Amino acid sequence: MTRTPHDAPGTPVLPRTRPERLVHLLSRWRYAFLALTLLVTIGLGAVGTGVFGKLSGGGWTPADSDSARADTLLREHFRSGSPDLVLLVGAPGSVDEPRAAAAG
């Protein structure tokens, strides 16, 4: 909020731009805005509690992908289920190097 040279020192400065008007409005009605925000958050939280049963855990995986074939193989041969923990390890070089094969 800026003063023009013609404004007297005691004159209240009115907001001139849109952001200034928004800040002025929100600071003037801060408790009402806070209460409204809290009510909307609680209301949407109550409405959204039923959505968890409708959400799936993952996306669609093509049957001919490597990961789908590996999952089928693991299920058939080792009776595995969904993993509880996934460990991602990175190393320089390729997995086909003799050093990687020796490490297992």
Side-chain angles (χ1 to χ4, degrees):
M1 293 184 251
T2 58
R3 290 187 185 275
T4 63
H6 304 290
D7 291 336
T11 306
V13 179
L14 297 175
R16 300 187 196 295
T17 64
R18 185 175 292 177
E20 286 177 350
R21 286 193 303 259
L22 180 64
V23 168
H24 180 72
L25 179 74
L26 290 177
S27 64
R28 185 173 180 189
W29 295 97
R30 62 186 170 272
Y31 296 116
F33 178 72
L34 189 61
L36 179 66
T37 303
L38 185 63
L39 287 173
V40 167
T41 302
I42 290 171
L44 290 176
V47 169
T49 56
V51 77
F52 293 109
K54 297 179 174 113
L55 295 174
S56 66
W60 180 77
T61 306
D64 61 340
S65 69
D66 290 338
S67 61
R69 284 187 295 227
D71 190 40
T72 303
L73 252 153
L74 287 171
R75 236 182 297 118
E76 289 174 355
H77 293 289
F78 299 106
R79 296 183 188 179
S80 70
S82 297
D84 292 326
L85 175 69
V86 176
L87 182 64
L88 178 64
V89 178
S94 171
V95 296
D96 298 327
E97 290 181 3
R99 221 174 29 170

